[in-house]
Amino acid sequence: MPLTLDRHHRLRESPFSAGYWCEALAHTPQDGRSFQLGSASTPTPHLALRWLLRRTQDVLDQLDPTATWPAHEWLIDRPEHERALAALTRGEIYTLSISEDTTHYILTARPTGSTQ
């Protein structure tokens, strides 16, 4: 007997059921610890890039701008954003790294296998 669900009884979707999984981590190399800073699932590469842009700005708002100028430049680098979209569309992971004194931040977006 097949499982049928009406509009009031839907199976919960896994976060990996969307097309792209985005994640932000902070890593402190001196003690080897990692901290989850946020994650999200998105249905399109454009929304995955938007998530990366917002999370990058959130991270940078808390850091010394002089130490993280490459990431500030990434925020306005339209050609790099196009490369990120192309990589995600091809099914590749896109990673942005930000280093600051004692912490290394890693922001990623990757297809989950069900991209649209």
Side-chain angles (χ1 to χ4, degrees):
M1 174 188 260
L3 175 65
T4 58
L5 300 173
D6 61 27
R7 65 184 176 91
H8 299 290
H9 300 90
R10 298 185 194 274
L11 292 174
R12 289 191 56 174
E13 291 187 11
S14 157
F16 298 106
S17 63
Y20 297 86
W21 182 249
C22 307
E23 196 167 34
L25 299 170
H27 179 70
T28 52
Q30 68 276 14
D31 61 12
R33 296 182 347 172
S34 291
F35 305 92
Q36 174 98 20
L37 300 178
S39 59
S41 60
T42 68
T44 68
H46 290 280
L47 292 175
L49 177 61
R50 185 181 302 168
W51 188 91
L52 286 173
L53 288 163
R54 281 195 321 261
R55 291 305 297 156
T56 298
Q57 186 62 60
D58 292 344
V59 168
L60 293 179
D61 285 347
Q62 300 174 43
L63 304 177
D64 177 12
T66 59
T68 57
W69 66 265
H72 285 280
E73 291 296 316
W74 180 85
L75 285 172
I76 59 171
D77 189 345
R78 303 282 296 168
E80 184 58 25
H81 300 165
E82 293 300 321
R83 283 188 284 279
L85 286 173
L88 290 167
T89 301
R90 286 190 308 268
E92 299 170 5
I93 190 170
Y94 184 82
T95 302
L96 174 65
S97 298
I98 304 167
S99 293
E100 185 257 342
D101 293 337
T102 61
T103 307
H104 187 73
Y105 300 88
I106 303 162
L107 294 90
T108 61
R110 65 177 173 81
T112 61
S114 60
T115 57
Q116 299 177 5

